[in-house]
Amino acid sequence: MDLVPALEEPLRQPLKSVLGPATAKVMAEHLGLLTVGDLLHHYPRRYEERGQLTHLADLPMDEHVTVVAQVADARLHSFASAKAPRGKGQRLEVTITDGSGRLQLVFFGAGVHKPHKELLPGTRAMFAGKVSVFNRRLQLAHPAYELLRGDPEESVETWAGALIPIYPATAKLESWKIGKAIQTVLPAAQEAVDPLPDTLREGRGLVPLPEALLKIHRPHTKADIEDARSRLKWDEAFVLQVALARRRHADAQLPAVPRKPSPDGLLTAFDARLPFTLTEGQQRVSREIFDDLATDHPMHRLLQGEVGSGKTMVALRAMLAVVDAGGQAAMLAPTEVLAQQHHRSIVEMMGELAEGGMLGGPEQATKVVLLTGSMGAAARRHALLDLTTGEAGIVIGTHALIEDKVQFHDLGLVVVDEQHRFGVEQRDALRGKGKQPPHLLVMTATPIPRTVAMTVFGDLETSVLDQLPAGRSPIASHVVPAADKPHFLSRAWERVREEVENGHQAYVVCPRIGDEEDDPRKPARKKSPEDEAEKRPPLAVLSVADQLTKGPLQGLRVEVLHGRMHPDDKDAVMRRFAAGETHVLVATTVIEVGVNVPNATAMVIMDADRFGVSQLHQLRGRVGRGAAPGLCLLVTEMPEASPARQRLGAVAATLDGFELSRIDLEQRREGDVLGQAQSGARTSLKVLAVIEDEEIIAEARQEATAVVAADPELTHLPALRTALDALLDEEREQYLEKG
């Protein structure tokens, strides 16, 4: 039997564990660290310098933190309690400081003896615990701590000179215990197999992997940390880009039916009936798509563009081109409201060309069917039949399209709307319904920075629509500080009335629906005024609609729309609003994408601070879709200096979705953005920051493409192959579980 390579050795095994069994168990359960290699790739979040202290003034509430600070004073108090009725209870209060602020530590009962002896004024230590508030002061209750002694032997050995690594930790395992565990396995770093080809590493002046691992965990200088991070960023970027390049390469080997539109077919007839000319951007992107559709391997293209840049029009023309060439096209939408909306607008845009098979329908026409989960049995049966026979050239639906029962006559193109709501698996399931792999067009309504496109959608070619069609109006956006200036909110409702009096309509968006009942078994807690502002439940559609009808919007026709309504009711509400019968629509984010009512000119977003930047931009794109200018009012009760207000200010200041998506990403960090988009990748990025490291990602993509083109199976690069398997292999965990 082969020996398990040093880095693949499980931290926990029946006969001899690398670490103590309890520590190994916590690492596996709470940090997902199973092997020596996993532990070596658990990098420090930051470093403390022995001479400097953490900023206590900036501690986040309710988070587990590690701080380095000095004891200012310590006082032991006695008190009476149920357990110690004769005043024998003991409480130790220790104040620590770093020059920027002070923090109170508190210990109770028998737990006071050790810290009372050790935490003397002037002592420096690392403290770890969860930040809470007591009597309006920040405190750590019963924190774990580790004294920073001046013993030269120990400090070099344990703390790696002057720089103390602070690791991502949990309540069950403090940073310094993780540090000690890593020091135990650090010699194994010498065995690390280097995934970067030598020519690439030497050409870019990067240190070897074993050296990078030593330097990141035991740096002597800041330059060591820099060397290590540069090298490890390249690893992450390059291995991920190789995975994506291999996916692109494999897709390019698949056969597909070329779909070329006939010169005087459905597409020509459609273009002839358009009441406007396409923008240059729409024409350019359409050409890119038509060139891809004409090839004999499947198109994989991401179509991204500004809110309202006309992506649906481009997608529809691609669908018509495929129908022209004898195939069928399917459009997958994330919600029923959106699927119905797409269906309605496509049928309207096509007019009689959507009347295929009907009496008196024109010769080039086709049938456009809708398929959603809530359709009645008869309508559903009819739609399925039209797909199987090929009678329907275009189908628009929700994930109901992916079900086994759905069979196509000849599926030629799949259009996925709002990619971030569909995983790679769902894309593949729908693509599997073609006799040969169909072409794929993915539309995203949230503009995403180029780097994210290269990282998340790296298996797709990208087309960008950055021009708004003629006739789209500018949208003015303003923050309405309801708590500081209540009269601003009154003025907001006056503006809504003015828009309605001028013949227009408005949306009011709320974060929740409002028919969630409070659980009567939960005791009501008394809240402080600060809590009230911070913890008040988000405003709800039903209560806001009620208040507006009885108050500032009395006399206007107000309706509600939310996700829990019956699909037929939702559809009826949207139809009335689109027809201008309703003045104001109070809704949740069901209107976030694709809803198109050109006469709606104003939008008021309540508790706007509860929405993300991209979501606010998306919502705002629902107004200003006609000739009249749009108005978007962002209502918030957050104080002026808060990060939430700064975020809203950024949204109000620019209409550039690409700029906003960068801001959003910088605030949320890429973990949320990457999600499962790496096709089942277990690991997320640890040192690579998608926005900051734009150049590395772009260069890694070029290098990866060249490597894969020269050696698709990576036969001559076994170490890279191993790193790739580690990134993409899900069976590894099961293998380790079995020990």
Side-chain angles (χ1 to χ4, degrees), residues 490 492-498 500 506-508 544-545 547-558 583-586 604:
S490 310
W493 301 126
E494 283 171 24
R495 284 291 290 112
V496 169
R497 286 196 91 96
E498 286 164 17
V500 173
Y507 297 100
V508 176
V544 167
Q547 287 161 18
L548 292 177
T549 315
K550 291 173 182 166
L553 301 186
Q554 199 170 4
L556 301 187
R557 287 193 296 280
V558 177
H583 294 139
V584 178
L585 187 62
V586 183
V604 181

Side-chain angles (χ1 to χ4, degrees), residues 33 41 180 373 572 652 666:
L33 306 176
H41 288 292
K180 284 179 176 172
E666 281 161 5

Side-chain angles (χ1 to χ4, degrees), residues 1-5 8-10 35 729-739:
M1 183 185 132
D2 290 344
L3 284 170
V4 180
E8 284 298 310
E9 195 171 346
T35 66
D729 178 21
E730 289 168 334
E731 292 165 29
R732 183 161 160 265
E733 282 187 43
Q734 290 154 14
Y735 156 74
L736 290 168
E737 287 300 309
K738 291 171 192 154

Side-chain angles (χ1 to χ4, degrees), residues 305-326:
E306 264 307 351
V307 176
S309 56
K311 293 181 291 292
T312 311
M313 172 61 70
V314 169
L316 175 56
R317 293 183 75 241
M319 286 159 52
L320 294 174
V322 168
V323 175
D324 252 356

